Amino acid sequence: MNAMPAIAPEVGPLRLTRRGRLVVAVAVALLIAVVMLIATGTAQATSSPPSPGRPGDLAQVVVGPGQSLWSVAESADPDQDPRVVIQQIITINALAGDVVYAGQRLWVPRS
């Protein structure tokens, strides 16, 4: 018995239907979204304070109901100009603006 080698049939280029292209596009978009969420979650997962230069320069406070960034700054360092302290708090916590919410945790300079 002579065994003939198996010859694979020629396969042309892969062609997807409109539904197939949609499924691939959605799968790629979901993969990108998951990767971005994981990257964002690990970036925000740390609760350690930013390094201020010297240990003990920062304290963590929780914003109370009705408190503004101004009142947080006044409480954090009553001897300094609140505008300077507000700018430090915004920089330290990488805030997008000067609005804070009750329950929000902020790092503030110690007085």
Side-chain angles (χ1 to χ4, degrees), residues 5-78:
I7 299 175
E10 281 192 41
V11 178
L14 179 65
R15 292 179 46 169
L16 292 175
T17 62
R18 181 178 293 158
R19 185 184 304 172
R21 288 189 299 268
L22 179 64
V23 168
V24 170
V26 169
V28 168
L30 285 174
L31 180 63
I32 291 171
V34 167
V35 168
M36 290 178 69
L37 284 174
I38 290 172
T40 303
T42 55
Q44 294 177 352
T46 179
S47 64
S48 61
S51 57
R54 293 188 323 247
D57 284 349
L58 299 179
Q60 190 174 46
V61 298
V62 177
V63 178
Q67 268 192 315
S68 65
L69 196 53
W70 187 274
S71 62
V72 170
E74 285 181 328
S75 300
D77 197 348

Side-chain angles (χ1 to χ4, degrees), residues 65-90:
Q67 268 192 315
S68 65
L69 196 53
W70 187 274
S71 62
V72 170
E74 285 181 328
S75 300
D77 197 348
D79 299 331
Q80 286 228 9
D81 182 359
R83 293 171 291 192
V84 172
V85 179
I86 287 171
Q87 193 57 47
Q88 290 172 342
I89 293 171
I90 289 172

Side-chain angles (χ1 to χ4, degrees), residues 89-106:
I89 293 171
I90 289 172
T91 302
I92 292 167
N93 294 284
L95 299 176
D98 59 356
V99 178
V100 292
Y101 304 97
Q104 186 175 4
R105 295 179 184 276
L106 297 173

